[in-house]
Amino acid sequence: MNYILIAHEPSIMRCGLSQIISMLPAPVTVLMVETTAEMASALQQQSFDLLILSRHLPGTDTLSMMKMVKEKHPPTKILLFTSREEKTRIVDVLFETADGYLSNKSSEEDISLTISVLVPGHKRLSPLRSAFSNPLEQLSSREIEVMNLLAQGLPLLKIAAHMELQVTTVSTYKTRIFKKLEINSIVELLDKVRTYGIRKLA
């Protein structure tokens, strides 16, 4: 039996999530709370396999609460629900603490797939998992340096001079960066940088 705790204020969200969970193939027991105090009490009384947590649960700094749960209840996976507009602000902390992220406007299919992956007993990988990882982490230190300079608006010629490389070499790095990040323009690169942050050199 898997145990899931839903900590979300709007009752319509709690009921909707509970309904989606009830259709999962794995046997699941669901407990629903709407305040931080209720969540803390539930965690003291019962071990949970998954905590579905709202970014705006009343009475606490939700990100601090995630860290506390990870420290005191390491086996508990955390799926964070928040608004799309907040993704840029929370993304770095999310990568450190939460096991999954979904928008409040996520489809039923996305929610079901993500929960099924986080619930023990499911070994298949979710295509959504790539959304929880920072794509910039796959870049080499040289690629990071080129990316940061591109993000500053420098042309290839100036980047080459700055890095003491051939223009063709810089162009190759740019091509690799675009391929790894699955982008086709500087505009898309800037969007990635705004979302995931400028990377520091290793």
Side-chain angles (χ1 to χ4, degrees), residues 16-160:
L17 289 168
S18 179
Q19 181 65 29
I20 292 173
I21 292 170
S22 70
M23 294 185 288
L24 295 175
V28 174
T29 296
V30 177
L31 177 64
M32 298 184 288
V33 298
E34 58 181 317
T35 67
T36 300
E38 291 176 351
M39 181 180 70
S41 177
L43 288 168
Q44 288 179 351
Q45 299 177 39
Q46 169 72 51
S47 296
F48 291 92
D49 300 293
L50 176 64
L51 168 62
I52 300 178
L53 181 63
S54 167
R55 171 74 171 92
H56 297 291
L57 193 69
T60 190
D61 175 345
T62 310
L63 295 178
S64 296
M65 177 59 71
M66 286 199 301
K67 292 182 178 180
M68 182 278 289
V69 171
K70 283 297 184 182
E71 290 175 0
K72 295 186 177 181
H73 310 277
T76 302
K77 299 279 183 66
I78 300 177
L79 174 57
L80 180 68
F81 271 81
T82 188
S83 66
R84 293 182 184 277
E85 292 75 15
E86 289 183 304
K87 184 176 179 181
T88 300
R89 290 191 291 132
I90 70 166
V91 73
D92 284 339
V93 180
L94 169 65
F95 291 145
E96 296 175 1
T97 51
D99 298 284
Y101 159 85
L102 285 174
S103 162
N104 288 329
K105 297 180 181 179
S106 296
S107 67
E108 180 178 327
E109 181 181 1
D110 286 348
I111 295 172
S112 178
L113 179 58
T114 304
I115 292 176
S116 69
V117 171
L118 293 176
V119 170
H122 292 266
K123 296 183 179 180
R124 61 192 177 88
L125 295 178
S126 167
L128 295 176
R129 186 60 190 172
S130 61
F132 309 147
S133 304
N134 189 335
L136 304 187
E137 297 294 343
Q138 61 186 310
L139 302 180
S140 68
S141 59
R142 276 296 201 182
E143 289 166 347
I144 290 171
E145 188 174 0
V146 172
M147 180 198 71
N148 290 343
L149 293 172
L150 287 170
Q152 293 173 31
L154 295 182
L156 295 185
L157 189 61
K158 288 189 177 181
I159 294 175

Side-chain angles (χ1 to χ4, degrees), residues 129-189:
R129 186 60 190 172
S130 61
F132 309 147
S133 304
N134 189 335
L136 304 187
E137 297 294 343
Q138 61 186 310
L139 302 180
S140 68
S141 59
R142 276 296 201 182
E143 289 166 347
I144 290 171
E145 188 174 0
V146 172
M147 180 198 71
N148 290 343
L149 293 172
L150 287 170
Q152 293 173 31
L154 295 182
L156 295 185
L157 189 61
K158 288 189 177 181
I159 294 175
H162 176 79
M163 298 180 65
E164 298 183 349
L165 298 172
Q166 296 292 326
V167 175
T168 53
T169 302
V170 175
S171 180
T172 299
Y173 279 126
K174 178 183 175 183
T175 300
R176 289 179 185 171
I177 293 167
F178 278 32
K179 183 177 181 180
K180 288 182 178 181
L181 300 184
E182 299 181 349
I183 59 176
N184 298 298
S185 68
I186 294 297
V187 172
E188 290 180 289
L189 176 65

